[in-house]
Amino acid sequence: MTYNKLKLGQTIGIIGGGQLGKMMAQSAQKMGYRVVVLDPDPTCPCQYVAHEFIHAAYDDMAALERLGQLSDVITYEFENIDAEQLQRLTATYNVPQGDQAITLLQDRLTEKETLQQAGVQVVPFHHVATAEALDDAVEALGYPFMLKTRFGGYDGKGQLLIRSAQDLEAALTLVAEHECVAEQFLMLEREVSLTATAGQNGQIVYFPLQENEHRDQILFKTIVPARVDQTVQARREVEKITQAIHFIGTFTVEFFIDQDGQLFVNEIAPRPHNSGHYSIEACDYSQFDTHILAVVGRDLPTDITLLKPAVMMNLLGKDLDLLEKQFDTHPEWHVHIYGKEVRKPARKMGHMTLLTEDVNETEQEMLTLFEGRNV
């Protein structure tokens, strides 16, 4: 499918007005585009940087149609859009990302089966829709294993770690309410992610391999460049994925590395990702810049240059309570506050990026600083 390149002053519609939508909008505006955003939250961060705001539910088809009519191109900041409604939008309006990736990636089982068929190495898994299938998963995978809902869930929601038979009661309760996927639990050496942007002309550009740490299933910190030499392998896996799934714009593939050094694809986010936020300061193009370039039909840069190594720390509500008074005395901290109206202890409220010559030293300084809530 061929799309027209947007002219300066034309309008980008964004489904979703959270922090990702806000940072997309900021990149779009500096390039000379107008922005209209749709979100059900009247206080969403993106509405304050958009030219127009549509206050409506994500499944309000009339509101989505209005977004289409106001926009010269439509993108989205998250994947929990109704796939059927996105398909209807794609049939009528300019949605370069299409609906295939959303349809596949909303379903953990279909995602894993698709990746497996593409020759991508994924964690061994088992479909669990019944109590009997749970027994089969125990036999096939052994303990421990992760049990995840087939649909929905992010930042650890809808997931259980099943350590032994003692946890099966909780597992049966989850299976009774939701169809699930069981995944073998890996002893991890490291978690990494690779952010890439696919252009409309078949071009793809990669950001540096990112090393991540999660705490309580939420991204805690990202270090770039990753302190493992798995870039070539990760890019090969992403190439297989792009042969099987249609992407336009920025997307991120999360990987597990086990203690034997094997690389496994964990999840795919078909939009800019938390682990790529460091790119705003640390790279010559941010993941939001390249996303906008791709969806409006412009050429991407030949490659992405990491200007300086970086440590990116997420700022949850607890972190703001701990650190807010220190922001004024640390100009070297590149602090981003998303503008969410309600501060909650475990809610992502912002992030900060530290450019450094020594990521190990900076990491230790940040761990010491953040240990008030994490130890």
Side-chain angles (χ1 to χ4, degrees), residues 175-222:
V175 172
E177 297 174 350
H178 303 279
E179 198 170 339
C180 293
V181 175
E183 299 176 8
Q184 187 177 80
F185 185 81
L186 298 179
M187 296 301 292
L188 297 185
E189 194 277 327
R190 211 167 297 247
E191 295 178 67
V192 297
S193 60
L194 186 61
T195 295
T197 304
Q200 295 187 35
N201 59 359
Q203 183 185 8
I204 186 165
V205 63
Y206 294 98
F207 288 81
L209 190 65
Q210 302 143 186
E211 178 183 333
N212 304 318
E213 179 185 343
H214 289 79
R215 296 192 178 183
D216 299 322
Q217 307 295 328
I218 299 173
L219 184 65
F220 173 60
K221 72 174 186 292
T222 296

Side-chain angles (χ1 to χ4, degrees), residues 173-309:
T173 299
L174 185 63
V175 172
E177 297 174 350
H178 303 279
E179 198 170 339
C180 293
V181 175
E183 299 176 8
Q184 187 177 80
F185 185 81
L186 298 179
M187 296 301 292
L188 297 185
E189 194 277 327
R190 211 167 297 247
E191 295 178 67
V192 297
S193 60
L194 186 61
T195 295
T197 304
Q200 295 187 35
N201 59 359
Q203 183 185 8
I204 186 165
V205 63
Y206 294 98
F207 288 81
L209 190 65
Q210 302 143 186
E211 178 183 333
N212 304 318
E213 179 185 343
H214 289 79
R215 296 192 178 183
D216 299 322
Q217 307 295 328
I218 299 173
L219 184 65
F220 173 60
K221 72 174 186 292
T222 296
I223 293 174
V224 185
R227 293 168 293 189
V228 290
D229 187 18
Q230 299 262 24
T231 297
V232 173
Q233 298 95 314
R235 288 190 180 189
R236 285 174 181 163
E237 294 296 88
V238 171
E239 287 169 3
K240 296 176 189 175
I241 291 168
T242 56
Q243 293 299 312
I245 304 174
H246 170 78
F247 290 104
I248 294 293
T250 296
F251 63 98
T252 293
V253 180
E254 297 182 80
F255 298 91
F256 291 146
I257 300 176
D258 71 7
Q259 293 183 345
D260 295 324
Q262 291 194 77
L263 192 75
F264 296 85
V265 171
N266 176 31
E267 292 182 350
I268 303 170
R271 36 75 183 169
H273 189 258
N274 196 168
S275 66
H277 289 349
Y278 72 91
S279 61
I280 297 172
E281 285 85 22
C283 296
D284 55 347
Y285 291 82
S286 79
Q287 63 168 341
F288 302 99
D289 294 337
T290 55
H291 180 76
I292 295 300
L293 290 173
V295 297
V296 302
R298 287 169 58 177
D299 291 340
L300 300 177
T302 303
D303 53 37
I304 300 296
T305 299
L306 181 66
L307 302 175
K308 198 169 186 179

Side-chain angles (χ1 to χ4, degrees), residues 107-113 116 123-141 145-151 175 178-184:
D107 181 343
R108 279 196 173 97
L109 179 62
T110 302
E111 174 186 9
K112 292 184 180 300
E113 290 175 341
Q116 197 173 57
V123 178
F125 64 94
H126 198 85
H127 180 204
V128 179
T130 64
E132 292 75 16
L134 182 61
D135 291 337
D136 294 340
V138 171
E139 183 176 351
L141 303 175
F145 64 89
M146 293 296 300
L147 188 66
K148 302 179 181 181
T149 55
R150 181 173 175 179
F151 300 96
V175 172
H178 303 279
E179 198 170 339
C180 293
V181 175
E183 299 176 8
Q184 187 177 80

Side-chain angles (χ1 to χ4, degrees), residues 30-49:
K30 77 177 183 182
M31 296 180 198
Y33 299 106
R34 292 177 52 82
V35 174
V36 55
V37 61
L38 181 149
D39 195 281
D41 180 1
T43 66
C44 69
C46 187
Q47 71 148 314
Y48 302 109
V49 298

